Amino acid sequence: MNKTLRKAVIAGNWKMNMTPSQTTALINEMKPLVADADCEVVLCVPFVDIAAAIEAAKGSNIKIGAENVHFKASGAFTGEISADMLKETGVEYVVVGHSERRQYFGETDQTVNLRSLAAIKAGLKPIICVGETLEQRELGYTETLLKYQTKMALTNVSAEELKNVVIAYEPVWAIGTGVTATADQADEGNGYVRAAIAEAYGADVAETVTIQYGGSMNAANAAELVSKVNVDGGLIGGASLKAADFSIIVKAASEQK
Ligand code: 13P
């Protein structure tokens, strides 16, 4: 197991927060704080904030992402946004299959796969989210479920394309609850995801894939979480809305080698 084979990615997921003007202000505040980061720094923002975010992040090391993408190229899908539309805005990343979308908007393992394929085809880097509910964990299905979700999400994704894919292990019970997985639980969950990739693509490929942890990651617990061998950064919700907290998380990941 060699952490230097993959890059750490710290990505904020703003969810349904921030207006365009608030976006500009927050990114301007963040830029100097993360300027010397030794990891990839990404902010995934609501669709309407993308233009402001791209403009504010110009010339900095902050990359911008979206929070969702539709799987069809175009057509009668009112309210949806295609991968080509996103690509043209200048975003580099897109969150796919977040548990909130699975829970509230009917996202399935199949649509997560289709959205991931559409993102890859357009030249975007999907951050694919997987994770078990508390009930699934208590029933002992965490490993089975994480492996299944990972393999389903990556159906028809080639080893070459996998180079542009990030997976985020986000236990549903740890999201927005203040209950963080322990560093060992995060490492174990990420390890199941890596094992699934190894089963599908081989161990050498699996060693190179960035696998984040997400779920109540914050300035206080980030260093311990990212110290784990399988934890290659994080997908941050609430703490990514605060410049100081987010920059501490970026620093923690930068100091990991
Ligand atoms: P919180 O960091 O607010 O728990 O959210 C995590 C998350 O869902 C990131 O995608």
Side-chain angles (χ1 to χ4, degrees), residues 168-186:
Y169 166 51
E170 297 206 307
V172 177
W173 46 271
I175 294 176
T177 57
V179 180
T180 318
T182 64
D184 285 338
Q185 284 173 323

Side-chain angles (χ1 to χ4, degrees), residues 11-13 15 95 98-100 129 168 170 174-178 214-218 235-240:
N13 171 12
K15 308 192 179 182
V95 177
H98 191 279
S99 65
E100 287 150 15
C129 303
E170 297 206 307
I175 294 176
T177 57
S216 299
M217 192 161 167
N218 58 40
L235 187 55
I236 327 293
S240 71

